[in-house]
Amino acid sequence: MACSGAEGSLVVASILACLARIGAHDATYFTNILKQAQASGVAPPPGAGGEAPAGGMVAGFIDLCIDNIDHLMLPTKRRVVGVCLANLLPTSDTEVLQRMGAILNVVVEVLHQERKDDVFSGVGGATVRVPFFLLYTAMCA
């Protein structure tokens, strides 16, 4: 049974969040995996219009993340995708650099949402404000 519509988008978004954990940990390793998959003959995923992206697997992953970021309801999944995309920026691949504006848009959107949601309840009901960079280092540890 194939997923269609919003249900399919939620499934794709969840799979992207799982893959983004690898990219959030080690962007070079992640891009190498995608490039090896492309070299072995795996077709890049189609973009929003149904056609293959101009680049390869890295471009397809980035495009899918950008298209499906709104389908990620949990802040932790949005955060992981944002960190993964931010980690891809220093790789200096042309596929990444061509999409830098959209990547930065997603990263800023995630940071803005994180800034609004960075209040947590501590022990005894005390409220603690946790900066995003502490969450990032704790997530990658």
PDB file of all heavy atoms in Angstrom, residues 112-140:
ATOM      1  N   HIS A 112      14.776  30.367  14.847  1.00  0.00           N
ATOM      2  CA  HIS A 112      13.711  31.235  15.339  1.00  0.00           C
ATOM      3  C   HIS A 112      12.700  30.433  16.155  1.00  0.00           C
ATOM      4  O   HIS A 112      12.287  30.862  17.238  1.00  0.00           O
ATOM      5  CB  HIS A 112      13.020  31.940  14.171  1.00  0.00           C
ATOM      6  CG  HIS A 112      11.873  32.786  14.586  1.00  0.00           C
ATOM      7  ND1 HIS A 112      12.036  33.955  15.282  1.00  0.00           N
ATOM      8  CD2 HIS A 112      10.540  32.614  14.431  1.00  0.00           C
ATOM      9  CE1 HIS A 112      10.849  34.480  15.531  1.00  0.00           C
ATOM     10  NE2 HIS A 112       9.926  33.685  15.016  1.00  0.00           N
ATOM     11  N   GLN A 113      12.313  29.278  15.641  1.00  0.00           N
ATOM     12  CA  GLN A 113      11.377  28.424  16.369  1.00  0.00           C
ATOM     13  C   GLN A 113      12.002  27.945  17.668  1.00  0.00           C
ATOM     14  O   GLN A 113      11.336  27.880  18.700  1.00  0.00           O
ATOM     15  CB  GLN A 113      10.962  27.227  15.506  1.00  0.00           C
ATOM     16  CG  GLN A 113       9.918  26.360  16.145  1.00  0.00           C
ATOM     17  CD  GLN A 113       8.589  27.072  16.303  1.00  0.00           C
ATOM     18  OE1 GLN A 113       8.221  27.882  15.472  1.00  0.00           O
ATOM     19  NE2 GLN A 113       7.890  26.780  17.370  1.00  0.00           N
ATOM     20  N   GLU A 114      13.294  27.624  17.625  1.00  0.00           N
ATOM     21  CA  GLU A 114      13.995  27.165  18.819  1.00  0.00           C
ATOM     22  C   GLU A 114      14.076  28.276  19.852  1.00  0.00           C
ATOM     23  O   GLU A 114      13.955  28.028  21.045  1.00  0.00           O
ATOM     24  CB  GLU A 114      15.399  26.688  18.441  1.00  0.00           C
ATOM     25  CG  GLU A 114      16.113  25.962  19.517  1.00  0.00           C
ATOM     26  CD  GLU A 114      15.429  24.674  19.905  1.00  0.00           C
ATOM     27  OE1 GLU A 114      14.844  24.007  19.035  1.00  0.00           O
ATOM     28  OE2 GLU A 114      15.471  24.330  21.098  1.00  0.00           O
ATOM     29  N   ARG A 115      14.250  29.479  19.388  1.00  0.00           N
ATOM     30  CA  ARG A 115      14.325  30.627  20.301  1.00  0.00           C
ATOM     31  C   ARG A 115      12.996  30.827  21.019  1.00  0.00           C
ATOM     32  O   ARG A 115      12.965  31.193  22.182  1.00  0.00           O
ATOM     33  CB  ARG A 115      14.708  31.878  19.515  1.00  0.00           C
ATOM     34  CG  ARG A 115      14.899  33.083  20.337  1.00  0.00           C
ATOM     35  CD  ARG A 115      16.159  32.974  21.169  1.00  0.00           C
ATOM     36  NE  ARG A 115      16.269  34.165  21.978  1.00  0.00           N
ATOM     37  CZ  ARG A 115      16.752  34.166  23.190  1.00  0.00           C
ATOM     38  NH1 ARG A 115      17.191  33.074  23.725  1.00  0.00           N
ATOM     39  NH2 ARG A 115      16.825  35.271  23.872  1.00  0.00           N
ATOM     40  N   LYS A 116      11.900  30.567  20.320  1.00  0.00           N
ATOM     41  CA  LYS A 116      10.582  30.702  20.938  1.00  0.00           C
ATOM     42  C   LYS A 116      10.310  29.564  21.910  1.00  0.00           C
ATOM     43  O   LYS A 116       9.585  29.742  22.877  1.00  0.00           O
ATOM     44  CB  LYS A 116       9.484  30.728  19.869  1.00  0.00           C
ATOM     45  CG  LYS A 116       9.484  31.989  19.049  1.00  0.00           C
ATOM     46  CD  LYS A 116       8.304  32.159  18.130  1.00  0.00           C
ATOM     47  CE  LYS A 116       7.625  30.942  17.650  1.00  0.00           C
ATOM     48  NZ  LYS A 116       6.623  31.165  16.613  1.00  0.00           N
ATOM     49  N   ASP A 117      10.881  28.375  21.660  1.00  0.00           N
ATOM     50  CA  ASP A 117      10.575  27.178  22.442  1.00  0.00           C
ATOM     51  C   ASP A 117      11.695  26.770  23.383  1.00  0.00           C
ATOM     52  O   ASP A 117      11.718  25.633  23.828  1.00  0.00           O
ATOM     53  CB  ASP A 117      10.285  25.999  21.509  1.00  0.00           C
ATOM     54  CG  ASP A 117       9.073  26.225  20.650  1.00  0.00           C
ATOM     55  OD1 ASP A 117       8.249  27.086  21.003  1.00  0.00           O
ATOM     56  OD2 ASP A 117       8.952  25.546  19.616  1.00  0.00           O
ATOM     57  N   ASP A 118      12.625  27.660  23.717  1.00  0.00           N
ATOM     58  CA  ASP A 118      13.785  27.224  24.493  1.00  0.00           C
ATOM     59  C   ASP A 118      13.590  27.326  26.003  1.00  0.00           C
ATOM     60  O   ASP A 118      14.539  27.383  26.749  1.00  0.00           O
ATOM     61  CB  ASP A 118      15.043  27.967  24.065  1.00  0.00           C
ATOM     62  CG  ASP A 118      14.995  29.448  24.411  1.00  0.00           C
ATOM     63  OD1 ASP A 118      13.924  29.921  24.817  1.00  0.00           O
ATOM     64  OD2 ASP A 118      16.031  30.110  24.275  1.00  0.00           O
ATOM     65  N   VAL A 119      12.370  27.324  26.456  1.00  0.00           N
ATOM     66  CA  VAL A 119      12.103  27.340  27.889  1.00  0.00           C
ATOM     67  C   VAL A 119      11.699  25.932  28.305  1.00  0.00           C
ATOM     68  O   VAL A 119      10.786  25.337  27.752  1.00  0.00           O
ATOM     69  CB  VAL A 119      10.977  28.343  28.229  1.00  0.00           C
ATOM     70  CG1 VAL A 119      10.661  28.290  29.704  1.00  0.00           C
ATOM     71  CG2 VAL A 119      11.380  29.733  27.812  1.00  0.00           C
ATOM     72  N   PHE A 120      12.419  25.383  29.278  1.00  0.00           N
ATOM     73  CA  PHE A 120      12.152  24.039  29.779  1.00  0.00           C
ATOM     74  C   PHE A 120      11.886  24.108  31.273  1.00  0.00           C
ATOM     75  O   PHE A 120      12.395  24.977  31.964  1.00  0.00           O
ATOM     76  CB  PHE A 120      13.350  23.111  29.529  1.00  0.00           C
ATOM     77  CG  PHE A 120      13.639  22.901  28.086  1.00  0.00           C
ATOM     78  CD1 PHE A 120      14.655  23.596  27.467  1.00  0.00           C
ATOM     79  CD2 PHE A 120      12.888  22.018  27.341  1.00  0.00           C
ATOM     80  CE1 PHE A 120      14.932  23.398  26.129  1.00  0.00           C
ATOM     81  CE2 PHE A 120      13.158  21.816  26.008  1.00  0.00           C
ATOM     82  CZ  PHE A 120      14.175  22.511  25.409  1.00  0.00           C
ATOM     83  N   SER A 121      11.114  23.174  31.769  1.00  0.00           N
ATOM     84  CA  SER A 121      10.887  23.077  33.211  1.00  0.00           C
ATOM     85  C   SER A 121      12.007  22.264  33.827  1.00  0.00           C
ATOM     86  O   SER A 121      12.313  21.175  33.377  1.00  0.00           O
ATOM     87  CB  SER A 121       9.544  22.411  33.502  1.00  0.00           C
ATOM     88  OG  SER A 121       8.504  23.241  33.059  1.00  0.00           O
ATOM     89  N   GLY A 122      12.608  22.807  34.860  1.00  0.00           N
ATOM     90  CA  GLY A 122      13.674  22.114  35.553  1.00  0.00           C
ATOM     91  C   GLY A 122      13.139  21.363  36.754  1.00  0.00           C
ATOM     92  O   GLY A 122      11.940  21.153  36.922  1.00  0.00           O
ATOM     93  N   VAL A 123      14.032  20.984  37.645  1.00  0.00           N
ATOM     94  CA  VAL A 123      13.669  20.259  38.853  1.00  0.00           C
ATOM     95  C   VAL A 123      12.888  21.195  39.774  1.00  0.00           C
ATOM     96  O   VAL A 123      13.252  22.353  39.955  1.00  0.00           O
ATOM     97  CB  VAL A 123      14.942  19.736  39.560  1.00  0.00           C
ATOM     98  CG1 VAL A 123      14.579  19.031  40.850  1.00  0.00           C
ATOM     99  CG2 VAL A 123      15.704  18.824  38.632  1.00  0.00           C
ATOM    100  N   GLY A 124      11.813  20.705  40.331  1.00  0.00           N
ATOM    101  CA  GLY A 124      11.021  21.511  41.252  1.00  0.00           C
ATOM    102  C   GLY A 124      10.180  22.566  40.558  1.00  0.00           C
ATOM    103  O   GLY A 124       9.718  23.502  41.190  1.00  0.00           O
ATOM    104  N   GLY A 125       9.980  22.446  39.256  1.00  0.00           N
ATOM    105  CA  GLY A 125       9.148  23.398  38.528  1.00  0.00           C
ATOM    106  C   GLY A 125       9.858  24.673  38.128  1.00  0.00           C
ATOM    107  O   GLY A 125       9.239  25.593  37.604  1.00  0.00           O
ATOM    108  N   ALA A 126      11.162  24.784  38.402  1.00  0.00           N
ATOM    109  CA  ALA A 126      11.907  25.976  38.022  1.00  0.00           C
ATOM    110  C   ALA A 126      12.051  26.031  36.514  1.00  0.00           C
ATOM    111  O   ALA A 126      12.215  25.016  35.856  1.00  0.00           O
ATOM    112  CB  ALA A 126      13.285  25.966  38.678  1.00  0.00           C
ATOM    113  N   THR A 127      11.963  27.211  35.953  1.00  0.00           N
ATOM    114  CA  THR A 127      12.093  27.391  34.514  1.00  0.00           C
ATOM    115  C   THR A 127      13.542  27.711  34.174  1.00  0.00           C
ATOM    116  O   THR A 127      14.155  28.566  34.797  1.00  0.00           O
ATOM    117  CB  THR A 127      11.174  28.517  34.020  1.00  0.00           C
ATOM    118  OG1 THR A 127       9.843  28.182  34.364  1.00  0.00           O
ATOM    119  CG2 THR A 127      11.282  28.693  32.524  1.00  0.00           C
ATOM    120  N   VAL A 128      14.067  27.012  33.201  1.00  0.00           N
ATOM    121  CA  VAL A 128      15.460  27.177  32.795  1.00  0.00           C
ATOM    122  C   VAL A 128      15.486  27.530  31.320  1.00  0.00           C
ATOM    123  O   VAL A 128      14.827  26.895  30.508  1.00  0.00           O
ATOM    124  CB  VAL A 128      16.258  25.871  33.035  1.00  0.00           C
ATOM    125  CG1 VAL A 128      17.693  26.032  32.611  1.00  0.00           C
ATOM    126  CG2 VAL A 128      16.149  25.443  34.475  1.00  0.00           C
ATOM    127  N   ARG A 129      16.246  28.550  30.952  1.00  0.00           N
ATOM    128  CA  ARG A 129      16.410  28.903  29.547  1.00  0.00           C
ATOM    129  C   ARG A 129      17.685  28.247  29.046  1.00  0.00           C
ATOM    130  O   ARG A 129      18.751  28.433  29.621  1.00  0.00           O
ATOM    131  CB  ARG A 129      16.477  30.412  29.367  1.00  0.00           C
ATOM    132  CG  ARG A 129      15.187  31.089  29.781  1.00  0.00           C
ATOM    133  CD  ARG A 129      15.130  32.518  29.338  1.00  0.00           C
ATOM    134  NE  ARG A 129      15.089  32.708  27.919  1.00  0.00           N
ATOM    135  CZ  ARG A 129      14.023  32.570  27.141  1.00  0.00           C
ATOM    136  NH1 ARG A 129      12.900  32.185  27.652  1.00  0.00           N
ATOM    137  NH2 ARG A 129      14.079  32.812  25.859  1.00  0.00           N
ATOM    138  N   VAL A 130      17.558  27.476  27.974  1.00  0.00           N
ATOM    139  CA  VAL A 130      18.695  26.748  27.431  1.00  0.00           C
ATOM    140  C   VAL A 130      18.990  27.282  26.037  1.00  0.00           C
ATOM    141  O   VAL A 130      18.144  27.197  25.155  1.00  0.00           O
ATOM    142  CB  VAL A 130      18.401  25.233  27.367  1.00  0.00           C
ATOM    143  CG1 VAL A 130      19.587  24.483  26.803  1.00  0.00           C
ATOM    144  CG2 VAL A 130      18.025  24.708  28.736  1.00  0.00           C
ATOM    145  N   PRO A 131      20.172  27.857  25.798  1.00  0.00           N
ATOM    146  CA  PRO A 131      20.508  28.354  24.460  1.00  0.00           C
ATOM    147  C   PRO A 131      20.608  27.218  23.445  1.00  0.00           C
ATOM    148  O   PRO A 131      20.895  26.079  23.800  1.00  0.00           O
ATOM    149  CB  PRO A 131      21.873  29.026  24.647  1.00  0.00           C
ATOM    150  CG  PRO A 131      22.057  29.183  26.110  1.00  0.00           C
ATOM    151  CD  PRO A 131      21.203  28.145  26.770  1.00  0.00           C
ATOM    152  N   PHE A 132      20.401  27.571  22.181  1.00  0.00           N
ATOM    153  CA  PHE A 132      20.399  26.582  21.109  1.00  0.00           C
ATOM    154  C   PHE A 132      21.735  25.866  20.991  1.00  0.00           C
ATOM    155  O   PHE A 132      21.780  24.672  20.767  1.00  0.00           O
ATOM    156  CB  PHE A 132      20.040  27.252  19.784  1.00  0.00           C
ATOM    157  CG  PHE A 132      20.030  26.298  18.625  1.00  0.00           C
ATOM    158  CD1 PHE A 132      19.010  25.397  18.480  1.00  0.00           C
ATOM    159  CD2 PHE A 132      21.051  26.298  17.699  1.00  0.00           C
ATOM    160  CE1 PHE A 132      18.994  24.497  17.427  1.00  0.00           C
ATOM    161  CE2 PHE A 132      21.055  25.414  16.644  1.00  0.00           C
ATOM    162  CZ  PHE A 132      20.009  24.514  16.508  1.00  0.00           C
ATOM    163  N   PHE A 133      22.853  26.587  21.164  1.00  0.00           N
ATOM    164  CA  PHE A 133      24.148  25.931  20.972  1.00  0.00           C
ATOM    165  C   PHE A 133      24.385  24.861  22.036  1.00  0.00           C
ATOM    166  O   PHE A 133      25.050  23.875  21.767  1.00  0.00           O
ATOM    167  CB  PHE A 133      25.296  26.946  20.954  1.00  0.00           C
ATOM    168  CG  PHE A 133      25.603  27.587  22.271  1.00  0.00           C
ATOM    169  CD1 PHE A 133      26.514  27.016  23.131  1.00  0.00           C
ATOM    170  CD2 PHE A 133      24.976  28.757  22.650  1.00  0.00           C
ATOM    171  CE1 PHE A 133      26.804  27.605  24.342  1.00  0.00           C
ATOM    172  CE2 PHE A 133      25.258  29.352  23.854  1.00  0.00           C
ATOM    173  CZ  PHE A 133      26.169  28.773  24.712  1.00  0.00           C
ATOM    174  N   LEU A 134      23.822  25.010  23.236  1.00  0.00           N
ATOM    175  CA  LEU A 134      23.946  23.967  24.242  1.00  0.00           C
ATOM    176  C   LEU A 134      23.131  22.743  23.848  1.00  0.00           C
ATOM    177  O   LEU A 134      23.557  21.610  24.059  1.00  0.00           O
ATOM    178  CB  LEU A 134      23.496  24.471  25.608  1.00  0.00           C
ATOM    179  CG  LEU A 134      24.430  25.482  26.269  1.00  0.00           C
ATOM    180  CD1 LEU A 134      23.831  25.951  27.596  1.00  0.00           C
ATOM    181  CD2 LEU A 134      25.798  24.890  26.491  1.00  0.00           C
ATOM    182  N   LEU A 135      21.955  22.971  23.261  1.00  0.00           N
ATOM    183  CA  LEU A 135      21.155  21.860  22.787  1.00  0.00           C
ATOM    184  C   LEU A 135      21.874  21.121  21.667  1.00  0.00           C
ATOM    185  O   LEU A 135      21.860  19.899  21.601  1.00  0.00           O
ATOM    186  CB  LEU A 135      19.791  22.342  22.293  1.00  0.00           C
ATOM    187  CG  LEU A 135      18.870  22.922  23.362  1.00  0.00           C
ATOM    188  CD1 LEU A 135      17.636  23.517  22.697  1.00  0.00           C
ATOM    189  CD2 LEU A 135      18.488  21.866  24.356  1.00  0.00           C
ATOM    190  N   TYR A 136      22.526  21.869  20.772  1.00  0.00           N
ATOM    191  CA  TYR A 136      23.249  21.272  19.659  1.00  0.00           C
ATOM    192  C   TYR A 136      24.407  20.421  20.163  1.00  0.00           C
ATOM    193  O   TYR A 136      24.588  19.286  19.722  1.00  0.00           O
ATOM    194  CB  TYR A 136      23.758  22.371  18.726  1.00  0.00           C
ATOM    195  CG  TYR A 136      24.706  21.861  17.673  1.00  0.00           C
ATOM    196  CD1 TYR A 136      24.234  21.096  16.618  1.00  0.00           C
ATOM    197  CD2 TYR A 136      26.059  22.115  17.733  1.00  0.00           C
ATOM    198  CE1 TYR A 136      25.088  20.599  15.650  1.00  0.00           C
ATOM    199  CE2 TYR A 136      26.922  21.639  16.773  1.00  0.00           C
ATOM    200  CZ  TYR A 136      26.421  20.882  15.732  1.00  0.00           C
ATOM    201  OH  TYR A 136      27.270  20.408  14.794  1.00  0.00           O
ATOM    202  N   THR A 137      25.184  20.944  21.119  1.00  0.00           N
ATOM    203  CA  THR A 137      26.313  20.164  21.603  1.00  0.00           C
ATOM    204  C   THR A 137      25.853  18.948  22.379  1.00  0.00           C
ATOM    205  O   THR A 137      26.474  17.893  22.306  1.00  0.00           O
ATOM    206  CB  THR A 137      27.234  21.028  22.497  1.00  0.00           C
ATOM    207  OG1 THR A 137      26.451  21.609  23.539  1.00  0.00           O
ATOM    208  CG2 THR A 137      27.923  22.119  21.696  1.00  0.00           C
ATOM    209  N   ALA A 138      24.748  19.068  23.098  1.00  0.00           N
ATOM    210  CA  ALA A 138      24.217  17.911  23.826  1.00  0.00           C
ATOM    211  C   ALA A 138      23.676  16.865  22.853  1.00  0.00           C
ATOM    212  O   ALA A 138      23.819  15.663  23.075  1.00  0.00           O
ATOM    213  CB  ALA A 138      23.116  18.347  24.782  1.00  0.00           C
ATOM    214  N   MET A 139      23.093  17.314  21.744  1.00  0.00           N
ATOM    215  CA  MET A 139      22.530  16.398  20.770  1.00  0.00           C
ATOM    216  C   MET A 139      23.640  15.641  20.028  1.00  0.00           C
ATOM    217  O   MET A 139      23.479  14.466  19.715  1.00  0.00           O
ATOM    218  CB  MET A 139      21.673  17.182  19.777  1.00  0.00           C
ATOM    219  CG  MET A 139      20.982  16.334  18.737  1.00  0.00           C
ATOM    220  SD  MET A 139      19.988  17.322  17.635  1.00  0.00           S
ATOM    221  CE  MET A 139      21.227  18.337  16.862  1.00  0.00           C
ATOM    222  N   CYS A 140      24.744  16.286  19.774  1.00  0.00           N
ATOM    223  CA  CYS A 140      25.816  15.670  19.002  1.00  0.00           C
ATOM    224  C   CYS A 140      26.798  14.890  19.880  1.00  0.00           C
ATOM    225  O   CYS A 140      27.715  14.273  19.357  1.00  0.00           O
ATOM    226  CB  CYS A 140      26.571  16.724  18.209  1.00  0.00           C
ATOM    227  SG  CYS A 140      25.581  17.414  16.888  1.00  0.00           S
TER     228      CYS A 140
END
